[in-house]
Amino acid sequence: MKIESIATIKKELKHLSKDELLELCLRLGKFKKENKAMMTYLLFLSEDENSYIESVKETLDELFDGVNRYSYFLMKKTIRKILRQIRIYAKYSNEKSTEVELLLYFCEKLVKLKPSIFDNNVLTNLYDRQIESIRKKVSVLHEDLQFDFNQRIDELEGGD
Protein backbone atom coordinates (compact mmCIF):
# COMPACT_ATOMS: atom_id res chain seq x y z
CA MET A 1 0.00 0.00 0.00
CA LYS A 2 1.34 3.39 -0.97
CA ILE A 3 0.96 6.04 1.74
CA GLU A 4 -0.21 9.36 0.34
CA SER A 5 1.23 12.76 1.18
CA ILE A 6 -0.49 15.14 3.59
CA ALA A 7 -1.37 17.46 0.69
CA THR A 8 -3.15 14.65 -1.16
CA ILE A 9 -4.99 13.57 1.99
CA LYS A 10 -6.05 17.18 2.62
CA LYS A 11 -7.51 17.44 -0.89
CA GLU A 12 -9.47 14.23 -0.39
CA LEU A 13 -10.77 15.31 3.02
CA LYS A 14 -12.24 18.45 1.46
CA HIS A 15 -14.58 16.23 -0.57
CA LEU A 16 -16.01 14.41 2.45
CA SER A 17 -19.20 15.37 4.27
CA LYS A 18 -19.28 16.38 7.93
CA ASP A 19 -20.59 12.94 8.96
CA GLU A 20 -17.91 11.15 6.94
CA LEU A 21 -15.20 13.31 8.56
CA LEU A 22 -16.62 12.56 12.02
CA GLU A 23 -16.60 8.84 11.30
CA LEU A 24 -13.03 9.04 10.00
CA CYS A 25 -11.85 10.86 13.14
CA LEU A 26 -13.53 8.33 15.40
CA ARG A 27 -11.91 5.46 13.52
CA LEU A 28 -8.52 7.13 13.92
CA GLY A 29 -9.16 7.48 17.65
CA LYS A 30 -9.98 3.79 17.97
CA PHE A 31 -6.99 2.70 15.92
CA LYS A 32 -4.15 3.90 18.13
CA LYS A 33 -3.85 5.23 21.67
CA GLU A 34 -1.60 8.08 20.50
CA ASN A 35 -4.26 9.26 18.03
CA LYS A 36 -6.85 9.27 20.80
CA ALA A 37 -4.51 11.24 23.06
CA MET A 38 -3.87 13.78 20.29
CA MET A 39 -7.60 14.20 19.70
CA THR A 40 -8.14 14.66 23.44
CA TYR A 41 -5.50 17.38 23.51
CA LEU A 42 -6.93 19.18 20.47
CA LEU A 43 -10.54 19.02 21.64
CA PHE A 44 -10.22 19.61 25.37
CA LEU A 45 -6.78 20.86 26.39
CA SER A 46 -5.35 23.01 23.60
CA GLU A 47 -7.26 26.12 24.72
CA ASP A 48 -5.47 26.24 28.08
CA GLU A 49 -1.81 25.31 27.61
CA ASN A 50 -0.94 25.91 31.27
CA SER A 51 -3.48 23.39 32.52
CA TYR A 52 -2.20 20.93 29.90
CA ILE A 53 1.35 21.37 31.19
CA GLU A 54 0.18 20.89 34.78
CA SER A 55 -1.72 17.71 33.90
CA VAL A 56 1.36 16.32 32.13
CA LYS A 57 3.49 17.22 35.16
CA GLU A 58 1.11 15.26 37.38
CA THR A 59 1.47 12.29 35.06
CA LEU A 60 5.25 12.65 35.18
CA ASP A 61 5.14 12.76 38.98
CA GLU A 62 3.32 9.42 38.95
CA LEU A 63 5.85 7.95 36.52
CA PHE A 64 8.77 9.18 38.64
CA ASP A 65 7.16 7.66 41.75
CA GLY A 66 7.29 4.31 39.95
CA VAL A 67 11.02 4.48 39.22
CA ASN A 68 12.86 1.42 40.55
CA ARG A 69 15.55 2.89 42.80
CA TYR A 70 17.32 -0.36 43.64
CA SER A 71 19.13 -0.79 40.35
CA TYR A 72 20.65 1.83 38.05
CA PHE A 73 19.89 -0.43 35.10
CA LEU A 74 16.17 -0.39 35.86
CA MET A 75 16.30 3.33 36.69
CA LYS A 76 17.77 4.01 33.24
CA LYS A 77 15.06 2.02 31.49
CA THR A 78 12.27 3.80 33.36
CA ILE A 79 13.80 7.25 32.93
CA ARG A 80 14.17 6.70 29.18
CA LYS A 81 10.54 5.60 29.05
CA ILE A 82 9.52 8.81 30.84
CA LEU A 83 11.57 10.86 28.38
CA ARG A 84 9.85 9.15 25.43
CA GLN A 85 6.50 9.99 27.01
CA ILE A 86 7.52 13.66 27.35
CA ARG A 87 8.44 13.78 23.67
CA ILE A 88 4.99 12.44 22.78
CA TYR A 89 3.22 14.97 25.01
CA ALA A 90 5.33 17.79 23.58
CA LYS A 91 4.43 16.80 20.00
CA TYR A 92 0.75 17.46 20.68
CA SER A 93 1.39 21.13 21.41
CA ASN A 94 2.55 23.55 18.73
CA GLU A 95 4.20 25.75 21.35
CA LYS A 96 7.95 25.29 21.73
CA SER A 97 7.82 26.62 25.28
CA THR A 98 5.69 23.63 26.31
CA GLU A 99 8.42 21.18 25.35
CA VAL A 100 11.03 23.27 27.15
CA GLU A 101 8.86 23.46 30.26
CA LEU A 102 8.32 19.70 30.30
CA LEU A 103 12.00 18.91 29.71
CA LEU A 104 13.03 21.31 32.47
CA TYR A 105 10.58 19.65 34.84
CA PHE A 106 12.03 16.27 33.81
CA CYS A 107 15.56 17.48 34.64
CA GLU A 108 14.40 18.94 37.96
CA LYS A 109 12.88 15.58 38.88
CA LEU A 110 16.07 13.78 37.81
CA VAL A 111 18.23 15.95 40.06
CA LYS A 112 16.00 15.15 43.05
CA LEU A 113 16.03 11.37 42.46
CA LYS A 114 17.62 9.20 45.13
CA PRO A 115 20.04 7.50 44.64
CA SER A 116 21.63 10.34 42.73
CA ILE A 117 21.82 10.06 38.97
CA PHE A 118 25.24 11.69 39.16
CA ASP A 119 26.67 8.44 40.56
CA ASN A 120 25.95 6.78 37.20
CA ASN A 121 27.68 7.84 33.98
CA VAL A 122 24.82 6.90 31.64
CA LEU A 123 22.22 8.84 33.64
CA THR A 124 24.56 11.80 34.04
CA ASN A 125 25.14 11.87 30.28
CA LEU A 126 21.41 11.62 29.63
CA TYR A 127 20.84 14.57 31.96
CA ASP A 128 23.62 16.60 30.31
CA ARG A 129 22.20 15.91 26.84
CA GLN A 130 18.78 17.10 27.97
CA ILE A 131 20.24 20.32 29.37
CA GLU A 132 22.04 20.93 26.05
CA SER A 133 18.85 20.17 24.14
CA ILE A 134 16.87 22.58 26.32
CA ARG A 135 19.44 25.33 25.76
CA LYS A 136 19.10 24.91 21.98
CA LYS A 137 15.32 25.00 22.15
CA VAL A 138 15.36 28.05 24.44
CA SER A 139 17.59 29.99 22.03
CA VAL A 140 14.74 30.28 19.48
CA LEU A 141 12.12 31.47 21.97
CA HIS A 142 11.10 35.04 22.83
CA GLU A 143 13.70 36.98 24.87
CA ASP A 144 11.58 37.10 28.04
CA LEU A 145 11.03 33.34 27.94
CA GLN A 146 14.72 32.83 27.22
CA PHE A 147 15.64 34.77 30.33
CA ASP A 148 13.20 32.83 32.55
CA PHE A 149 14.18 29.42 31.19
CA ASN A 150 17.91 30.20 31.31
CA GLN A 151 17.57 31.13 34.97
CA ARG A 152 15.96 27.76 35.69
CA ILE A 153 18.71 25.98 33.74
CA ASP A 154 21.37 27.87 35.71
CA GLU A 155 19.67 26.87 38.97
CA LEU A 156 19.70 23.23 37.84
CA GLU A 157 23.36 23.34 36.92
CA GLY A 158 24.21 25.08 40.16
CA GLY A 159 22.47 22.31 42.12
CA ASP A 160 24.75 19.54 40.76
Side-chain angles (χ1 to χ4, degrees):
M1 177 175 99
K2 179 186 173 213
I3 298 176
E4 296 294 333
S5 69
I6 291 293
T8 307
I9 292 172
K10 183 179 178 182
K11 288 176 188 172
E12 275 303 308
L13 287 174
K14 287 182 179 179
H15 301 295
L16 297 179
S17 70
K18 182 180 177 182
D19 290 337
E20 290 171 321
L21 283 173
L22 179 63
E23 184 62 32
L24 205 66
C25 288
L26 292 175
R27 281 190 68 194
L28 276 173
K30 290 178 186 176
F31 181 68
K32 196 171 181 185
K33 185 179 178 181
E34 217 174 281
N35 292 345
K36 190 174 179 180
M38 176 68 167
M39 287 173 30
T40 301
Y41 169 77
L42 291 172
L43 292 172
F44 304 109
L45 303 169
S46 63
E47 295 298 317
D48 187 5
E49 197 69 20
N50 289 332
S51 69
Y52 174 66
I53 291 170
E54 288 307 313
S55 69
V56 171
K57 284 181 179 181
E58 289 172 14
T59 304
L60 295 179
D61 287 340
E62 293 171 13
L63 292 173
F64 269 102
D65 288 343
V67 171
N68 184 327
R69 300 173 197 300
Y70 299 108
S71 159
Y72 277 114
F73 174 75
L74 294 174
M75 276 179 75
K76 287 183 279 191
K77 287 182 67 97
T78 310
I79 288 169
R80 285 185 180 132
K81 182 179 178 182
I82 293 169
L83 189 56
R84 276 193 306 276
Q85 198 66 44
I86 289 172
R87 300 244 185 263
I88 290 169
Y89 289 136
K91 273 197 303 189
Y92 297 154
S93 174
N94 282 335
E95 295 185 31
K96 297 292 181 195
S97 62
T98 299
E99 182 177 12
V100 172
E101 180 70 36
L102 294 176
L103 288 173
L104 271 172
Y105 189 73
F106 171 77
C107 289
E108 289 167 357
K109 295 294 281 187
L110 276 182
V111 168
K112 294 176 184 173
L113 264 181
K114 299 291 182 211
S116 175
I117 63 159
F118 300 108
D119 294 336
N120 182 280
N121 284 340
V122 175
L123 288 174
T124 302
N125 290 340
L126 184 139
Y127 171 80
D128 291 340
R129 279 193 310 274
Q130 293 314 308
I131 294 292
E132 269 186 52
S133 170
I134 293 168
R135 284 199 186 278
K136 286 179 186 174
K137 290 173 187 348
V138 166
S139 67
V140 298
L141 297 176
H142 187 270
E143 289 177 6
D144 292 339
L145 287 173
Q146 283 185 24
F147 179 76
D148 293 340
F149 285 134
N150 282 326
Q151 273 190 319
R152 286 180 59 191
I153 294 169
D154 293 341
E155 287 173 16
L156 273 174
E157 291 182 325
D160 288 357

